[in-house]
Amino acid sequence: MSVVDEASSQMDKTIETTKENFVGIRTGRANPALFNGLTVDYYGAPTSLKALASIGVADNRTLSVTPFDVTQAGSIEKAIRDSDLGVNPRRDGNVIHVTLPELTEERRKDYVKLAHEIAERGKVAVRNIRRKTKEGIDKATKDGDFGEDEGKRLLTDLDKATKKATEEIDTLLETKEKEILSV
C-alpha cells in the first residue's frame, strides 16, 4: 500500500465521520440518529442513549424512546430535555414520546450554519492528512527513498485524492443543506 493509498484511506474515514456528524443535524423529519450523541447518567456513568433504550419513529415528527430498564425512564427523559435539541419529552407509561417542533426559518438557517461548520472541520482534517503525507513524500524524496519523478507522481496523486475528498464533502454539504431547507 503506497503512502497515497494510506492517505486516501484516512480521507475516506474523515468523509464517513463528516457524514455521521451530518446525520445528527435535524431536518424536517424525525430521525432516531438525532439522539446519536446523547448520553444519559446511568448509575453515575455517562452512557449512550442507544445503549439504554430502543428508539423508533412514531410519525413524521415524533420519536418514541422505550428504555430497556424502566427505572431509567426518568434519567433518559431528563437527558433528552437537557439536550440542545430544543424538545420537550413526555412520558406515557414506560415510553417517552419526543415530538419535534416545526422548524422555523431562523432555526433552519442555524442548522445550515452548523452543517457548514461540520463540513469545514472535515475539509481541514483532509488538508491536514494531505500536509502530513506531503511532508513524508518530500522527506523520502530528499533522503533518496524515491526518485524525483516518483516523488512528483506521488504528489500529483495525493492532490487528486485531496481534491476528490473535498469535493465529496462539498457534495454531502449541498445535499444536507437542501434537506434542511426543504419544508
Side-chain angles (χ1 to χ4, degrees), residues 12-46:
D12 288 343
K13 288 177 187 166
T14 300
I15 291 168
E16 280 307 307
T17 302
T18 303
K19 210 182 279 187
E20 287 171 18
N21 290 338
F22 277 156
V23 169
I25 298 176
R26 193 172 149 223
T27 58
R29 293 179 304 281
N31 185 343
L34 287 174
F35 294 141
N36 276 357
L38 202 61
T39 57
V40 178
D41 183 34
Y42 184 63
Y43 296 111

Side-chain angles (χ1 to χ4, degrees), residues 35-86:
F35 294 141
N36 276 357
L38 202 61
T39 57
V40 178
D41 183 34
Y42 184 63
Y43 296 111
T47 309
S48 111
L49 176 62
K50 292 190 324 188
L52 298 175
S54 65
I55 305 166
V57 178
D59 62 46
N60 243 0
R61 288 187 29 226
T62 308
L63 293 168
S64 62
V65 180
T66 309
F68 300 132
D69 177 1
V70 292
T71 62
Q72 292 302 306
S75 56
I76 290 173
E77 187 178 5
K78 182 183 181 324
I80 294 170
R81 185 175 294 112
D82 295 347
S83 72
D84 61 353
L85 293 172

Side-chain angles (χ1 to χ4, degrees), residues 21 30 35 38 61 91 120 129 137 154 167 180:
N21 290 338
F35 294 141
L38 202 61
R61 288 187 29 226
R91 209 145 110 200
E120 190 53 39
I129 293 166
I137 293 171
L154 286 172
E167 284 174 353
I180 293 169

Side-chain angles (χ1 to χ4, degrees), residues 84-100:
D84 61 353
L85 293 172
V87 295
N88 196 10
R90 68 184 192 292
R91 209 145 110 200
D92 180 16
N94 295 334
V95 180
I96 301 164
H97 296 286
V98 181
T99 302
L100 304 171

Side-chain angles (χ1 to χ4, degrees), residues 81-126:
R81 185 175 294 112
D82 295 347
S83 72
D84 61 353
L85 293 172
V87 295
N88 196 10
R90 68 184 192 292
R91 209 145 110 200
D92 180 16
N94 295 334
V95 180
I96 301 164
H97 296 286
V98 181
T99 302
L100 304 171
E102 281 292 329
L103 288 177
T104 63
E105 192 62 35
E106 184 180 328
R107 194 73 174 135
R108 287 180 192 275
K109 287 179 183 171
D110 288 345
Y111 284 143
V112 167
K113 213 179 288 183
L114 178 62
H116 279 273
E117 289 171 15
I118 289 171
E120 190 53 39
R121 282 197 305 260
K123 287 192 217 176
V124 166
V126 166

